[in-house]
Amino acid sequence: MTQNKEQRPILVTAATGMTGSRVVAGLRARGHEVRAASRSSEWRFDWNDTDTWDRVLEGAGAVYLVQSDENPRVPEFAKRVKALGVGRVVLLSARGIDEPDYFEDVTETPSHLRAEEAVKAGGTEWTILRPGWFAQNFDEGLLADGVRSGVLRLPTAEGAVTWIDAEDIADVAVAALTGEGHHGRTYELGGPRASTLAEVVGEISAALGREVRYEPVSVEEYVEGLTKEGWSEAGAREMVVALSAIRRGREARISSGVREALGRGPRDFSEYVARTFRRDGDDS
């Protein structure tokens, strides 16, 4: 990035989300001006309201871009990025989206892949981040309810995952937004080891001082459980597709992206557990 671009604010979309909030914190800690954009922030941004797009983009030097899975409009947004002279885009994508057999029952081009293609064709500097499953799903995301209730029921058999810490994703994003040497790079991001659901909930159980167990279930049992919780069947089936990579062993491979981007290895899952979970009733 040129000196001029460095002095321009950095737009962070999904700024209250799992990675966006950490990217905002990382940028501000390094003294960068940040436009923390969300539907409820001062820098209001809504994928469904194109009138909000130009205001957050105008004058920005770079953007951390997180697509909306419900309404994936990155190709349209990328045109505004170029038109308004934003110099750099760091796109949060997903692991495996360029591999036809990575997930089961995928018949269309994944929206994340279409987003990548649009960003690459947009005429700006670009970096793609392809993380696997986030460790923070156990306390902030999809798996948090299971941890609270004491049982995780998933159709993932004995598949293992290289759980990636969202702090590492944010560190890579900040480096790509502000530093040199990341243009044209696609970083696959994962943790340093592969662990099964049974193994990781064992670590979480030890930290909490109470049992959290993993219970493998069939696809149909899982879909039925989600629909009873209020999910649409279509949404439940989409989640089955996402989880299918775990069951099929695709999420167990070790990735080098964190080291390539930062010159250090990724945080271990045990580090996430130690700073996140404590024994119930321990307020120290």
Side-chain angles (χ1 to χ4, degrees):
M1 238 182 217
T2 67
Q3 182 66 23
N4 183 52
K5 288 178 183 176
E6 287 179 349
Q7 294 172 347
R8 294 161 64 185
I10 298 173
L11 169 64
V12 177
T13 65
T16 59
M18 198 177 291
T19 63
S21 60
R22 291 171 168 84
V23 173
V24 168
L27 290 169
R28 286 177 172 163
R30 291 160 178 79
H32 295 279
E33 181 182 352
V34 180
R35 292 179 179 174
S38 69
R39 284 178 291 185
S40 59
S41 70
E42 175 188 356
W43 290 97
R44 183 173 176 271
F45 174 72
D46 187 340
W47 281 109
N48 298 313
D49 182 0
T50 57
D51 290 341
T52 67
W53 294 8
D54 283 10
R55 176 175 177 264
V56 296
L57 284 169
E58 191 168 7
V63 56
Y64 177 64
L65 188 53
V66 181
Q67 82 162 17
S68 165
D69 289 336
E70 291 78 20
N71 189 11
R73 303 180 69 176
V74 170
E76 297 171 65
F77 190 74
K79 294 177 181 177
R80 301 309 303 155
V81 169
K82 180 179 181 180
L84 292 169
V86 178
R88 181 174 293 185
V89 176
V90 176
L91 175 69
L92 183 69
S93 186
R95 191 180 194 183
I97 52 95
D98 61 333
E99 301 175 37
D101 62 345
Y102 199 84
F103 305 98
E104 284 185 339
D105 300 324
V106 175
T107 57
E108 300 179 349
T109 302
S111 62
H112 282 292
L113 190 56
R114 292 195 298 271
E116 289 188 11
E117 292 168 349
V119 166
K120 290 177 181 179
T124 63
E125 295 182 16
W126 57 266
T127 307
I128 307 297
L129 310 185
R130 289 181 178 169
W133 282 83
F134 299 1
Q136 279 73 11
N137 271 305
F138 289 97
D139 72 300
E140 298 178 32
L142 176 71
L143 308 178
D145 286 344
V147 171
R148 286 189 284 267
S149 70
V151 58
L152 285 169
R153 297 181 176 90
L154 294 166
T156 47
E158 301 306 316
V161 176
T162 55
W163 304 96
I164 177 69
D165 197 316
E167 298 287 348
D168 282 332
I169 301 172
D171 286 349
V172 174
V174 169
L177 287 163
T178 62
E180 299 299 332
H182 304 286
H183 171 50
R185 299 295 301 272
T186 298
Y187 295 121
E188 183 174 292
L189 306 177
R193 60 184 169 103
S195 302
T196 66
L197 269 297
E199 290 168 340
V200 295
V201 298
E203 292 189 50
I204 292 170
S205 296
L208 289 173
R210 62 174 174 83
E211 183 184 21
V212 179
R213 73 179 190 278
Y214 164 59
E215 182 179 308
V217 296
S218 70
V219 166
E220 294 309 317
E221 288 173 319
Y222 182 70
V223 169
E224 181 181 0
L226 289 185
T227 54
K228 286 181 178 178
E229 294 174 11
W231 288 56
S232 69
E233 181 163 351
R237 296 286 176 185
E238 287 177 6
M239 188 53 62
V240 167
V241 171
L243 290 165
S244 68
I246 300 178
R247 177 174 52 78
R248 301 171 70 224
R250 305 305 297 271
E251 287 289 329
R253 71 187 183 203
I254 304 297
S255 304
S256 60
V258 173
R259 186 169 297 280
E260 292 170 6
L262 303 178
R264 64 161 176 82
R267 295 171 172 86
D268 192 82
F269 187 82
S270 61
E271 296 179 53
Y272 157 73
V273 171
R275 70 172 187 268
T276 304
F277 298 100
R278 68 182 81 186
R279 290 181 177 271
D280 290 354
D282 182 2
D283 295 324
S284 60

